[in-house]
Amino acid sequence: EVQLVESGGGLVQPGDSLTLSCAAAGFTLDTYAIGWFRQAPGKEREGISCLSHYDGGIWYADSVKGRFTISSDNAKNTVYLQTDSLKPEDTAVYYCAAVYGHATNSDWYLPRLYEYWGQGTQVTVSS
């Protein structure tokens, strides 16, 4: 059974950092693209980063570029999202998602691309 489990969310102050984890079970990362998305109340789900293990592609949304970093530890079958310099507007539920094969520059941010989703982890940035 394919499973994605996010963890690492929490309540932090502006300027703080969090490391979000996405642990995969039932498949190995090396043939999948893993995307990170977020959804704030009343807003659409936003693609913020993706790592395509098949070809090494990495992408970031403009809203997080330079502050967030995606990485993976294949030995732990886990993808991480390091979130630095957090802002109140980063407050959302953060999800990871997986699709077999590779993502591209023109589709990595589309929720409909992905086959599997985690349950989400809440990130709240507030003073």
Side-chain angles (χ1 to χ4, degrees):
E1 180 187 2
V2 172
Q3 267 194 320
L4 296 170
V5 180
E6 302 97 333
S7 61
L11 171 62
V12 296
Q13 295 187 337
D16 284 352
S17 299
L18 283 173
T19 302
L20 307 184
S21 299
C22 173
F27 68 99
T28 54
L29 294 175
D30 56 358
T31 55
Y32 280 75
I34 304 295
W36 281 98
F37 290 77
R38 66 185 181 188
Q39 189 164 20
K43 294 191 176 181
E44 292 188 354
R45 192 164 294 194
E46 176 191 14
I48 55 175
S49 187
C50 176
L51 192 161
S52 182
H53 290 87
Y54 184 83
D55 55 10
I58 293 178
W59 300 274
Y60 297 98
D62 288 344
S63 58
V64 305
K65 199 172 292 183
R67 299 188 298 122
F68 291 9
T69 304
I70 192 170
S71 63
S72 70
D73 184 335
N74 286 4
K76 295 184 178 180
N77 221 35
T78 299
V79 174
Y80 302 98
L81 187 69
Q82 177 67 36
T83 67
D84 297 322
S85 303
L86 285 163
K87 305 174 182 180
E89 51 263 45
D90 293 319
T91 295
V93 178
Y94 283 68
Y95 300 90
C96 64
V99 59
Y100 180 78
H102 66 282
T104 70
N105 187 53
S106 61
D107 62 18
W108 68 267
Y109 51 89
L110 299 174
R112 66 173 185 264
L113 175 70
Y114 295 84
E115 302 168 275
Y116 307 105
W117 290 83
Q119 83 290 345
T121 185
Q122 176 72 46
V123 172
T124 303
V125 185
S126 175
S127 55

